[in-house]
Amino acid sequence: MPAKLGCVIVAVEVAEDSMAALRWFLHNIKLRTSAPNSCETPGSLVILHAPPPSIPEA
């Protein structure tokens, strides 16, 4: 795995396992930072909330 990541997308839902995975990510993954006068863009984190689907009653 690269030392510093450019972009990471984390999908979360209401389950505790999902929140535990997000906590692990926040404690263990380092996003890329840009140095002054650098052309490199800093890393970014996108959190995608994926609620459980609702099934309409017939």
Side-chain angles (χ1 to χ4, degrees):
M1 179 181 288
K4 305 267 180 163
L5 301 175
C7 180
V8 176
I9 299 173
V10 178
V12 295
E13 57 168 332
V14 295
E16 182 54 36
D17 289 344
S18 180
M19 293 296 115
L22 179 59
R23 279 192 296 278
W24 181 92
F25 168 82
L26 293 172
H27 287 104
N28 292 286
I29 302 299
K30 295 186 186 312
L31 294 173
R32 183 175 60 217
T33 57
S34 61
N37 302 322
S38 172
C39 304
E40 191 174 56
T41 58
S44 60
L45 167 64
V46 176
I47 298 176
L48 174 66
H49 180 246
S54 60
I55 301 172
E57 293 185 29

PDB file of all heavy atoms in Angstrom, residues 16-58:
ATOM      1  N   GLU A  16     -22.958  -1.028  13.386  1.00  0.00           N
ATOM      2  CA  GLU A  16     -21.781  -0.746  14.208  1.00  0.00           C
ATOM      3  C   GLU A  16     -20.493  -1.206  13.529  1.00  0.00           C
ATOM      4  O   GLU A  16     -19.458  -0.557  13.663  1.00  0.00           O
ATOM      5  CB  GLU A  16     -21.924  -1.407  15.581  1.00  0.00           C
ATOM      6  CG  GLU A  16     -20.772  -1.123  16.526  1.00  0.00           C
ATOM      7  CD  GLU A  16     -20.468   0.365  16.736  1.00  0.00           C
ATOM      8  OE1 GLU A  16     -21.409   1.177  16.761  1.00  0.00           O
ATOM      9  OE2 GLU A  16     -19.278   0.714  16.861  1.00  0.00           O
ATOM     10  N   ASP A  17     -20.539  -2.311  12.776  1.00  0.00           N
ATOM     11  CA  ASP A  17     -19.343  -2.770  12.047  1.00  0.00           C
ATOM     12  C   ASP A  17     -18.873  -1.722  11.053  1.00  0.00           C
ATOM     13  O   ASP A  17     -17.670  -1.524  10.856  1.00  0.00           O
ATOM     14  CB  ASP A  17     -19.620  -4.081  11.304  1.00  0.00           C
ATOM     15  CG  ASP A  17     -19.775  -5.256  12.247  1.00  0.00           C
ATOM     16  OD1 ASP A  17     -19.379  -5.140  13.426  1.00  0.00           O
ATOM     17  OD2 ASP A  17     -20.295  -6.296  11.805  1.00  0.00           O
ATOM     18  N   SER A  18     -19.807  -1.043  10.425  1.00  0.00           N
ATOM     19  CA  SER A  18     -19.468  -0.002   9.471  1.00  0.00           C
ATOM     20  C   SER A  18     -18.770   1.165  10.167  1.00  0.00           C
ATOM     21  O   SER A  18     -17.774   1.701   9.688  1.00  0.00           O
ATOM     22  CB  SER A  18     -20.736   0.475   8.766  1.00  0.00           C
ATOM     23  OG  SER A  18     -20.448   1.475   7.830  1.00  0.00           O
ATOM     24  N   MET A  19     -19.291   1.558  11.322  1.00  0.00           N
ATOM     25  CA  MET A  19     -18.673   2.649  12.095  1.00  0.00           C
ATOM     26  C   MET A  19     -17.296   2.234  12.597  1.00  0.00           C
ATOM     27  O   MET A  19     -16.360   3.042  12.618  1.00  0.00           O
ATOM     28  CB  MET A  19     -19.557   3.057  13.264  1.00  0.00           C
ATOM     29  CG  MET A  19     -20.866   3.697  12.858  1.00  0.00           C
ATOM     30  SD  MET A  19     -20.604   5.264  11.995  1.00  0.00           S
ATOM     31  CE  MET A  19     -21.228   4.861  10.394  1.00  0.00           C
ATOM     32  N   ALA A  20     -17.139   0.974  12.979  1.00  0.00           N
ATOM     33  CA  ALA A  20     -15.833   0.482  13.430  1.00  0.00           C
ATOM     34  C   ALA A  20     -14.822   0.538  12.287  1.00  0.00           C
ATOM     35  O   ALA A  20     -13.660   0.898  12.486  1.00  0.00           O
ATOM     36  CB  ALA A  20     -15.956  -0.951  13.965  1.00  0.00           C
ATOM     37  N   ALA A  21     -15.262   0.210  11.083  1.00  0.00           N
ATOM     38  CA  ALA A  21     -14.368   0.283   9.922  1.00  0.00           C
ATOM     39  C   ALA A  21     -13.957   1.731   9.649  1.00  0.00           C
ATOM     40  O   ALA A  21     -12.790   2.004   9.334  1.00  0.00           O
ATOM     41  CB  ALA A  21     -15.054  -0.314   8.690  1.00  0.00           C
ATOM     42  N   LEU A  22     -14.881   2.674   9.796  1.00  0.00           N
ATOM     43  CA  LEU A  22     -14.549   4.088   9.603  1.00  0.00           C
ATOM     44  C   LEU A  22     -13.555   4.551  10.662  1.00  0.00           C
ATOM     45  O   LEU A  22     -12.593   5.252  10.363  1.00  0.00           O
ATOM     46  CB  LEU A  22     -15.813   4.947   9.633  1.00  0.00           C
ATOM     47  CG  LEU A  22     -15.601   6.444   9.472  1.00  0.00           C
ATOM     48  CD1 LEU A  22     -14.911   6.773   8.146  1.00  0.00           C
ATOM     49  CD2 LEU A  22     -16.922   7.185   9.587  1.00  0.00           C
ATOM     50  N   ARG A  23     -13.777   4.165  11.915  1.00  0.00           N
ATOM     51  CA  ARG A  23     -12.826   4.527  12.983  1.00  0.00           C
ATOM     52  C   ARG A  23     -11.443   3.969  12.679  1.00  0.00           C
ATOM     53  O   ARG A  23     -10.431   4.640  12.865  1.00  0.00           O
ATOM     54  CB  ARG A  23     -13.323   4.026  14.338  1.00  0.00           C
ATOM     55  CG  ARG A  23     -14.362   4.914  14.975  1.00  0.00           C
ATOM     56  CD  ARG A  23     -14.622   4.540  16.431  1.00  0.00           C
ATOM     57  NE  ARG A  23     -15.196   3.211  16.584  1.00  0.00           N
ATOM     58  CZ  ARG A  23     -16.482   2.927  16.440  1.00  0.00           C
ATOM     59  NH1 ARG A  23     -17.344   3.885  16.134  1.00  0.00           N
ATOM     60  NH2 ARG A  23     -16.920   1.703  16.604  1.00  0.00           N
ATOM     61  N   TRP A  24     -11.373   2.697  12.214  1.00  0.00           N
ATOM     62  CA  TRP A  24     -10.082   2.099  11.873  1.00  0.00           C
ATOM     63  C   TRP A  24      -9.398   2.934  10.796  1.00  0.00           C
ATOM     64  O   TRP A  24      -8.217   3.234  10.890  1.00  0.00           O
ATOM     65  CB  TRP A  24     -10.268   0.664  11.381  1.00  0.00           C
ATOM     66  CG  TRP A  24      -8.962   0.025  11.040  1.00  0.00           C
ATOM     67  CD1 TRP A  24      -8.180  -0.714  11.866  1.00  0.00           C
ATOM     68  CD2 TRP A  24      -8.266   0.110   9.791  1.00  0.00           C
ATOM     69  NE1 TRP A  24      -7.038  -1.098  11.208  1.00  0.00           N
ATOM     70  CE2 TRP A  24      -7.057  -0.609   9.930  1.00  0.00           C
ATOM     71  CE3 TRP A  24      -8.530   0.711   8.575  1.00  0.00           C
ATOM     72  CZ2 TRP A  24      -6.142  -0.737   8.902  1.00  0.00           C
ATOM     73  CZ3 TRP A  24      -7.608   0.593   7.550  1.00  0.00           C
ATOM     74  CH2 TRP A  24      -6.426  -0.127   7.726  1.00  0.00           C
ATOM     75  N   PHE A  25     -10.151   3.303   9.769  1.00  0.00           N
ATOM     76  CA  PHE A  25      -9.592   4.101   8.687  1.00  0.00           C
ATOM     77  C   PHE A  25      -9.013   5.408   9.221  1.00  0.00           C
ATOM     78  O   PHE A  25      -7.891   5.786   8.907  1.00  0.00           O
ATOM     79  CB  PHE A  25     -10.667   4.402   7.634  1.00  0.00           C
ATOM     80  CG  PHE A  25     -10.232   5.456   6.653  1.00  0.00           C
ATOM     81  CD1 PHE A  25      -9.445   5.118   5.577  1.00  0.00           C
ATOM     82  CD2 PHE A  25     -10.560   6.782   6.847  1.00  0.00           C
ATOM     83  CE1 PHE A  25      -9.007   6.099   4.691  1.00  0.00           C
ATOM     84  CE2 PHE A  25     -10.135   7.760   5.974  1.00  0.00           C
ATOM     85  CZ  PHE A  25      -9.347   7.406   4.892  1.00  0.00           C
ATOM     86  N   LEU A  26      -9.797   6.119  10.038  1.00  0.00           N
ATOM     87  CA  LEU A  26      -9.361   7.419  10.537  1.00  0.00           C
ATOM     88  C   LEU A  26      -8.099   7.324  11.393  1.00  0.00           C
ATOM     89  O   LEU A  26      -7.297   8.253  11.430  1.00  0.00           O
ATOM     90  CB  LEU A  26     -10.490   8.084  11.332  1.00  0.00           C
ATOM     91  CG  LEU A  26     -11.707   8.484  10.494  1.00  0.00           C
ATOM     92  CD1 LEU A  26     -12.843   8.941  11.395  1.00  0.00           C
ATOM     93  CD2 LEU A  26     -11.350   9.549   9.467  1.00  0.00           C
ATOM     94  N   HIS A  27      -7.884   6.208  12.067  1.00  0.00           N
ATOM     95  CA  HIS A  27      -6.702   6.029  12.900  1.00  0.00           C
ATOM     96  C   HIS A  27      -5.495   5.471  12.148  1.00  0.00           C
ATOM     97  O   HIS A  27      -4.373   5.597  12.620  1.00  0.00           O
ATOM     98  CB  HIS A  27      -7.017   5.096  14.073  1.00  0.00           C
ATOM     99  CG  HIS A  27      -7.866   5.736  15.110  1.00  0.00           C
ATOM    100  ND1 HIS A  27      -9.212   5.455  15.238  1.00  0.00           N
ATOM    101  CD2 HIS A  27      -7.591   6.669  16.046  1.00  0.00           C
ATOM    102  CE1 HIS A  27      -9.707   6.173  16.231  1.00  0.00           C
ATOM    103  NE2 HIS A  27      -8.753   6.924  16.728  1.00  0.00           N
ATOM    104  N   ASN A  28      -5.698   4.851  10.994  1.00  0.00           N
ATOM    105  CA  ASN A  28      -4.610   4.111  10.353  1.00  0.00           C
ATOM    106  C   ASN A  28      -4.174   4.584   8.975  1.00  0.00           C
ATOM    107  O   ASN A  28      -3.091   4.212   8.531  1.00  0.00           O
ATOM    108  CB  ASN A  28      -4.998   2.633  10.255  1.00  0.00           C
ATOM    109  CG  ASN A  28      -5.065   1.993  11.609  1.00  0.00           C
ATOM    110  OD1 ASN A  28      -4.048   1.724  12.214  1.00  0.00           O
ATOM    111  ND2 ASN A  28      -6.257   1.786  12.110  1.00  0.00           N
ATOM    112  N   ILE A  29      -4.973   5.338   8.282  1.00  0.00           N
ATOM    113  CA  ILE A  29      -4.641   5.719   6.911  1.00  0.00           C
ATOM    114  C   ILE A  29      -4.186   7.170   6.865  1.00  0.00           C
ATOM    115  O   ILE A  29      -4.771   8.039   7.496  1.00  0.00           O
ATOM    116  CB  ILE A  29      -5.857   5.517   5.979  1.00  0.00           C
ATOM    117  CG1 ILE A  29      -6.327   4.067   6.001  1.00  0.00           C
ATOM    118  CG2 ILE A  29      -5.538   5.963   4.557  1.00  0.00           C
ATOM    119  CD1 ILE A  29      -5.313   3.049   5.524  1.00  0.00           C
ATOM    120  N   LYS A  30      -3.132   7.419   6.128  1.00  0.00           N
ATOM    121  CA  LYS A  30      -2.631   8.783   5.961  1.00  0.00           C
ATOM    122  C   LYS A  30      -2.892   9.241   4.538  1.00  0.00           C
ATOM    123  O   LYS A  30      -2.523   8.575   3.584  1.00  0.00           O
ATOM    124  CB  LYS A  30      -1.133   8.831   6.231  1.00  0.00           C
ATOM    125  CG  LYS A  30      -0.772   8.499   7.667  1.00  0.00           C
ATOM    126  CD  LYS A  30       0.694   8.720   7.894  1.00  0.00           C
ATOM    127  CE  LYS A  30       1.177   8.285   9.227  1.00  0.00           C
ATOM    128  NZ  LYS A  30       0.486   8.648  10.384  1.00  0.00           N
ATOM    129  N   LEU A  31      -3.536  10.396   4.420  1.00  0.00           N
ATOM    130  CA  LEU A  31      -3.782  10.982   3.110  1.00  0.00           C
ATOM    131  C   LEU A  31      -2.586  11.852   2.725  1.00  0.00           C
ATOM    132  O   LEU A  31      -1.867  12.361   3.577  1.00  0.00           O
ATOM    133  CB  LEU A  31      -5.057  11.826   3.121  1.00  0.00           C
ATOM    134  CG  LEU A  31      -6.353  11.052   3.337  1.00  0.00           C
ATOM    135  CD1 LEU A  31      -7.511  12.016   3.500  1.00  0.00           C
ATOM    136  CD2 LEU A  31      -6.611  10.105   2.185  1.00  0.00           C
ATOM    137  N   ARG A  32      -2.406  12.018   1.436  1.00  0.00           N
ATOM    138  CA  ARG A  32      -1.299  12.817   0.914  1.00  0.00           C
ATOM    139  C   ARG A  32      -1.484  14.283   1.310  1.00  0.00           C
ATOM    140  O   ARG A  32      -2.579  14.823   1.271  1.00  0.00           O
ATOM    141  CB  ARG A  32      -1.269  12.674  -0.599  1.00  0.00           C
ATOM    142  CG  ARG A  32      -0.142  13.377  -1.281  1.00  0.00           C
ATOM    143  CD  ARG A  32      -0.113  13.083  -2.760  1.00  0.00           C
ATOM    144  NE  ARG A  32      -1.365  13.515  -3.378  1.00  0.00           N
ATOM    145  CZ  ARG A  32      -1.963  12.855  -4.364  1.00  0.00           C
ATOM    146  NH1 ARG A  32      -1.465  11.746  -4.831  1.00  0.00           N
ATOM    147  NH2 ARG A  32      -3.082  13.303  -4.883  1.00  0.00           N
ATOM    148  N   THR A  33      -0.408  14.926   1.715  1.00  0.00           N
ATOM    149  CA  THR A  33      -0.417  16.369   1.965  1.00  0.00           C
ATOM    150  C   THR A  33       0.467  17.026   0.923  1.00  0.00           C
ATOM    151  O   THR A  33       1.409  16.428   0.418  1.00  0.00           O
ATOM    152  CB  THR A  33       0.121  16.711   3.363  1.00  0.00           C
ATOM    153  OG1 THR A  33       1.440  16.189   3.487  1.00  0.00           O
ATOM    154  CG2 THR A  33      -0.761  16.132   4.454  1.00  0.00           C
ATOM    155  N   SER A  34       0.145  18.266   0.579  1.00  0.00           N
ATOM    156  CA  SER A  34       0.964  18.942  -0.420  1.00  0.00           C
ATOM    157  C   SER A  34       1.950  19.873   0.287  1.00  0.00           C
ATOM    158  O   SER A  34       1.603  20.562   1.241  1.00  0.00           O
ATOM    159  CB  SER A  34       0.108  19.724  -1.410  1.00  0.00           C
ATOM    160  OG  SER A  34      -0.635  20.704  -0.738  1.00  0.00           O
ATOM    161  N   ALA A  35       3.167  19.874  -0.188  1.00  0.00           N
ATOM    162  CA  ALA A  35       4.195  20.753   0.353  1.00  0.00           C
ATOM    163  C   ALA A  35       4.010  22.153  -0.222  1.00  0.00           C
ATOM    164  O   ALA A  35       3.424  22.320  -1.291  1.00  0.00           O
ATOM    165  CB  ALA A  35       5.575  20.199  -0.010  1.00  0.00           C
ATOM    166  N   PRO A  36       4.488  23.175   0.480  1.00  0.00           N
ATOM    167  CA  PRO A  36       4.418  24.522  -0.087  1.00  0.00           C
ATOM    168  C   PRO A  36       5.103  24.566  -1.457  1.00  0.00           C
ATOM    169  O   PRO A  36       6.108  23.891  -1.678  1.00  0.00           O
ATOM    170  CB  PRO A  36       5.180  25.378   0.925  1.00  0.00           C
ATOM    171  CG  PRO A  36       5.153  24.587   2.191  1.00  0.00           C
ATOM    172  CD  PRO A  36       5.101  23.137   1.782  1.00  0.00           C
ATOM    173  N   ASN A  37       4.542  25.327  -2.371  1.00  0.00           N
ATOM    174  CA  ASN A  37       5.049  25.464  -3.742  1.00  0.00           C
ATOM    175  C   ASN A  37       5.024  24.158  -4.520  1.00  0.00           C
ATOM    176  O   ASN A  37       5.797  23.972  -5.453  1.00  0.00           O
ATOM    177  CB  ASN A  37       6.469  26.047  -3.749  1.00  0.00           C
ATOM    178  CG  ASN A  37       6.535  27.387  -3.062  1.00  0.00           C
ATOM    179  OD1 ASN A  37       5.614  28.199  -3.195  1.00  0.00           O
ATOM    180  ND2 ASN A  37       7.576  27.619  -2.301  1.00  0.00           N
ATOM    181  N   SER A  38       4.158  23.240  -4.149  1.00  0.00           N
ATOM    182  CA  SER A  38       4.056  21.949  -4.824  1.00  0.00           C
ATOM    183  C   SER A  38       2.866  21.956  -5.774  1.00  0.00           C
ATOM    184  O   SER A  38       1.848  22.582  -5.508  1.00  0.00           O
ATOM    185  CB  SER A  38       3.876  20.827  -3.803  1.00  0.00           C
ATOM    186  OG  SER A  38       3.591  19.618  -4.452  1.00  0.00           O
ATOM    187  N   CYS A  39       2.994  21.240  -6.885  1.00  0.00           N
ATOM    188  CA  CYS A  39       1.892  21.091  -7.842  1.00  0.00           C
ATOM    189  C   CYS A  39       0.957  19.956  -7.421  1.00  0.00           C
ATOM    190  O   CYS A  39      -0.132  19.816  -7.948  1.00  0.00           O
ATOM    191  CB  CYS A  39       2.419  20.768  -9.231  1.00  0.00           C
ATOM    192  SG  CYS A  39       3.594  21.943  -9.860  1.00  0.00           S
ATOM    193  N   GLU A  40       1.403  19.126  -6.500  1.00  0.00           N
ATOM    194  CA  GLU A  40       0.638  17.961  -6.086  1.00  0.00           C
ATOM    195  C   GLU A  40      -0.564  18.386  -5.238  1.00  0.00           C
ATOM    196  O   GLU A  40      -0.433  19.183  -4.315  1.00  0.00           O
ATOM    197  CB  GLU A  40       1.538  17.029  -5.281  1.00  0.00           C
ATOM    198  CG  GLU A  40       0.958  15.680  -5.017  1.00  0.00           C
ATOM    199  CD  GLU A  40       1.974  14.767  -4.340  1.00  0.00           C
ATOM    200  OE1 GLU A  40       2.489  15.145  -3.279  1.00  0.00           O
ATOM    201  OE2 GLU A  40       2.232  13.705  -4.900  1.00  0.00           O
ATOM    202  N   THR A  41      -1.727  17.851  -5.569  1.00  0.00           N
ATOM    203  CA  THR A  41      -2.915  18.182  -4.790  1.00  0.00           C
ATOM    204  C   THR A  41      -2.940  17.343  -3.514  1.00  0.00           C
ATOM    205  O   THR A  41      -2.490  16.194  -3.516  1.00  0.00           O
ATOM    206  CB  THR A  41      -4.204  17.921  -5.597  1.00  0.00           C
ATOM    207  OG1 THR A  41      -4.218  16.550  -5.990  1.00  0.00           O
ATOM    208  CG2 THR A  41      -4.280  18.812  -6.800  1.00  0.00           C
ATOM    209  N   PRO A  42      -3.475  17.905  -2.427  1.00  0.00           N
ATOM    210  CA  PRO A  42      -3.552  17.126  -1.193  1.00  0.00           C
ATOM    211  C   PRO A  42      -4.570  16.008  -1.320  1.00  0.00           C
ATOM    212  O   PRO A  42      -5.461  16.062  -2.165  1.00  0.00           O
ATOM    213  CB  PRO A  42      -3.982  18.154  -0.144  1.00  0.00           C
ATOM    214  CG  PRO A  42      -4.607  19.251  -0.910  1.00  0.00           C
ATOM    215  CD  PRO A  42      -3.975  19.252  -2.271  1.00  0.00           C
ATOM    216  N   GLY A  43      -4.439  15.003  -0.484  1.00  0.00           N
ATOM    217  CA  GLY A  43      -5.374  13.885  -0.495  1.00  0.00           C
ATOM    218  C   GLY A  43      -6.742  14.309   0.007  1.00  0.00           C
ATOM    219  O   GLY A  43      -6.894  15.331   0.668  1.00  0.00           O
ATOM    220  N   SER A  44      -7.746  13.517  -0.322  1.00  0.00           N
ATOM    221  CA  SER A  44      -9.097  13.836   0.131  1.00  0.00           C
ATOM    222  C   SER A  44      -9.817  12.573   0.586  1.00  0.00           C
ATOM    223  O   SER A  44      -9.498  11.465   0.165  1.00  0.00           O
ATOM    224  CB  SER A  44      -9.889  14.515  -0.980  1.00  0.00           C
ATOM    225  OG  SER A  44      -9.970  13.664  -2.102  1.00  0.00           O
ATOM    226  N   LEU A  45     -10.767  12.772   1.468  1.00  0.00           N
ATOM    227  CA  LEU A  45     -11.588  11.694   1.996  1.00  0.00           C
ATOM    228  C   LEU A  45     -13.032  11.996   1.655  1.00  0.00           C
ATOM    229  O   LEU A  45     -13.518  13.094   1.903  1.00  0.00           O
ATOM    230  CB  LEU A  45     -11.420  11.589   3.519  1.00  0.00           C
ATOM    231  CG  LEU A  45     -12.436  10.728   4.258  1.00  0.00           C
ATOM    232  CD1 LEU A  45     -12.323   9.273   3.828  1.00  0.00           C
ATOM    233  CD2 LEU A  45     -12.248  10.874   5.752  1.00  0.00           C
ATOM    234  N   VAL A  46     -13.722  11.021   1.078  1.00  0.00           N
ATOM    235  CA  VAL A  46     -15.146  11.142   0.792  1.00  0.00           C
ATOM    236  C   VAL A  46     -15.853  10.078   1.615  1.00  0.00           C
ATOM    237  O   VAL A  46     -15.519   8.894   1.524  1.00  0.00           O
ATOM    238  CB  VAL A  46     -15.446  10.929  -0.710  1.00  0.00           C
ATOM    239  CG1 VAL A  46     -16.941  10.961  -0.968  1.00  0.00           C
ATOM    240  CG2 VAL A  46     -14.711  11.959  -1.549  1.00  0.00           C
ATOM    241  N   ILE A  47     -16.804  10.502   2.450  1.00  0.00           N
ATOM    242  CA  ILE A  47     -17.596   9.544   3.225  1.00  0.00           C
ATOM    243  C   ILE A  47     -18.957   9.447   2.555  1.00  0.00           C
ATOM    244  O   ILE A  47     -19.682  10.431   2.434  1.00  0.00           O
ATOM    245  CB  ILE A  47     -17.736   9.981   4.687  1.00  0.00           C
ATOM    246  CG1 ILE A  47     -16.348  10.040   5.344  1.00  0.00           C
ATOM    247  CG2 ILE A  47     -18.650   9.016   5.439  1.00  0.00           C
ATOM    248  CD1 ILE A  47     -16.359  10.542   6.760  1.00  0.00           C
ATOM    249  N   LEU A  48     -19.269   8.259   2.092  1.00  0.00           N
ATOM    250  CA  LEU A  48     -20.520   7.997   1.389  1.00  0.00           C
ATOM    251  C   LEU A  48     -21.474   7.304   2.352  1.00  0.00           C
ATOM    252  O   LEU A  48     -21.221   6.186   2.784  1.00  0.00           O
ATOM    253  CB  LEU A  48     -20.259   7.106   0.172  1.00  0.00           C
ATOM    254  CG  LEU A  48     -21.459   6.620  -0.604  1.00  0.00           C
ATOM    255  CD1 LEU A  48     -22.167   7.798  -1.262  1.00  0.00           C
ATOM    256  CD2 LEU A  48     -21.031   5.611  -1.652  1.00  0.00           C
ATOM    257  N   HIS A  49     -22.553   7.990   2.727  1.00  0.00           N
ATOM    258  CA  HIS A  49     -23.525   7.393   3.632  1.00  0.00           C
ATOM    259  C   HIS A  49     -24.494   6.551   2.817  1.00  0.00           C
ATOM    260  O   HIS A  49     -25.139   7.037   1.902  1.00  0.00           O
ATOM    261  CB  HIS A  49     -24.284   8.485   4.397  1.00  0.00           C
ATOM    262  CG  HIS A  49     -25.288   7.909   5.341  1.00  0.00           C
ATOM    263  ND1 HIS A  49     -26.630   8.094   5.171  1.00  0.00           N
ATOM    264  CD2 HIS A  49     -25.145   7.133   6.436  1.00  0.00           C
ATOM    265  CE1 HIS A  49     -27.283   7.465   6.144  1.00  0.00           C
ATOM    266  NE2 HIS A  49     -26.394   6.870   6.919  1.00  0.00           N
ATOM    267  N   ALA A  50     -24.566   5.287   3.150  1.00  0.00           N
ATOM    268  CA  ALA A  50     -25.420   4.350   2.419  1.00  0.00           C
ATOM    269  C   ALA A  50     -26.462   3.776   3.367  1.00  0.00           C
ATOM    270  O   ALA A  50     -26.263   2.732   3.978  1.00  0.00           O
ATOM    271  CB  ALA A  50     -24.568   3.230   1.831  1.00  0.00           C
ATOM    272  N   PRO A  51     -27.592   4.472   3.517  1.00  0.00           N
ATOM    273  CA  PRO A  51     -28.621   3.941   4.433  1.00  0.00           C
ATOM    274  C   PRO A  51     -29.225   2.658   3.868  1.00  0.00           C
ATOM    275  O   PRO A  51     -29.202   2.442   2.652  1.00  0.00           O
ATOM    276  CB  PRO A  51     -29.652   5.072   4.483  1.00  0.00           C
ATOM    277  CG  PRO A  51     -29.468   5.826   3.222  1.00  0.00           C
ATOM    278  CD  PRO A  51     -28.009   5.684   2.852  1.00  0.00           C
ATOM    279  N   PRO A  52     -29.753   1.826   4.734  1.00  0.00           N
ATOM    280  CA  PRO A  52     -30.374   0.602   4.245  1.00  0.00           C
ATOM    281  C   PRO A  52     -31.569   0.950   3.353  1.00  0.00           C
ATOM    282  O   PRO A  52     -32.237   1.958   3.580  1.00  0.00           O
ATOM    283  CB  PRO A  52     -30.825  -0.124   5.498  1.00  0.00           C
ATOM    284  CG  PRO A  52     -30.664   0.807   6.625  1.00  0.00           C
ATOM    285  CD  PRO A  52     -29.835   1.963   6.176  1.00  0.00           C
ATOM    286  N   PRO A  53     -31.827   0.134   2.352  1.00  0.00           N
ATOM    287  CA  PRO A  53     -32.952   0.436   1.446  1.00  0.00           C
ATOM    288  C   PRO A  53     -34.280   0.278   2.178  1.00  0.00           C
ATOM    289  O   PRO A  53     -34.430  -0.548   3.061  1.00  0.00           O
ATOM    290  CB  PRO A  53     -32.806  -0.611   0.341  1.00  0.00           C
ATOM    291  CG  PRO A  53     -32.068  -1.725   0.971  1.00  0.00           C
ATOM    292  CD  PRO A  53     -31.161  -1.096   2.000  1.00  0.00           C
ATOM    293  N   SER A  54     -35.229   1.104   1.808  1.00  0.00           N
ATOM    294  CA  SER A  54     -36.568   0.944   2.382  1.00  0.00           C
ATOM    295  C   SER A  54     -37.416   0.181   1.360  1.00  0.00           C
ATOM    296  O   SER A  54     -37.406   0.472   0.169  1.00  0.00           O
ATOM    297  CB  SER A  54     -37.187   2.300   2.692  1.00  0.00           C
ATOM    298  OG  SER A  54     -37.289   3.066   1.521  1.00  0.00           O
ATOM    299  N   ILE A  55     -38.128  -0.802   1.852  1.00  0.00           N
ATOM    300  CA  ILE A  55     -38.954  -1.623   0.976  1.00  0.00           C
ATOM    301  C   ILE A  55     -40.410  -1.268   1.277  1.00  0.00           C
ATOM    302  O   ILE A  55     -40.898  -1.473   2.397  1.00  0.00           O
ATOM    303  CB  ILE A  55     -38.696  -3.117   1.218  1.00  0.00           C
ATOM    304  CG1 ILE A  55     -37.221  -3.430   0.955  1.00  0.00           C
ATOM    305  CG2 ILE A  55     -39.619  -3.969   0.366  1.00  0.00           C
ATOM    306  CD1 ILE A  55     -36.812  -4.818   1.335  1.00  0.00           C
ATOM    307  N   PRO A  56     -41.097  -0.705   0.281  1.00  0.00           N
ATOM    308  CA  PRO A  56     -42.497  -0.330   0.521  1.00  0.00           C
ATOM    309  C   PRO A  56     -43.367  -1.569   0.727  1.00  0.00           C
ATOM    310  O   PRO A  56     -43.145  -2.616   0.129  1.00  0.00           O
ATOM    311  CB  PRO A  56     -42.895   0.412  -0.749  1.00  0.00           C
ATOM    312  CG  PRO A  56     -41.906   0.029  -1.776  1.00  0.00           C
ATOM    313  CD  PRO A  56     -40.655  -0.408  -1.055  1.00  0.00           C
ATOM    314  N   GLU A  57     -44.320  -1.413   1.610  1.00  0.00           N
ATOM    315  CA  GLU A  57     -45.265  -2.526   1.862  1.00  0.00           C
ATOM    316  C   GLU A  57     -46.305  -2.545   0.748  1.00  0.00           C
ATOM    317  O   GLU A  57     -46.772  -1.510   0.309  1.00  0.00           O
ATOM    318  CB  GLU A  57     -45.926  -2.355   3.211  1.00  0.00           C
ATOM    319  CG  GLU A  57     -44.948  -2.508   4.364  1.00  0.00           C
ATOM    320  CD  GLU A  57     -45.638  -2.456   5.697  1.00  0.00           C
ATOM    321  OE1 GLU A  57     -46.827  -2.844   5.801  1.00  0.00           O
ATOM    322  OE2 GLU A  57     -44.996  -1.995   6.644  1.00  0.00           O
ATOM    323  N   ALA A  58     -46.654  -3.743   0.296  1.00  0.00           N
ATOM    324  CA  ALA A  58     -47.638  -3.880  -0.784  1.00  0.00           C
ATOM    325  C   ALA A  58     -49.039  -3.812  -0.282  1.00  0.00           C
ATOM    326  O   ALA A  58     -49.402  -3.995   0.787  1.00  0.00           O
ATOM    327  CB  ALA A  58     -47.411  -5.186  -1.512  1.00  0.00           C
TER     328      ALA A  58
END
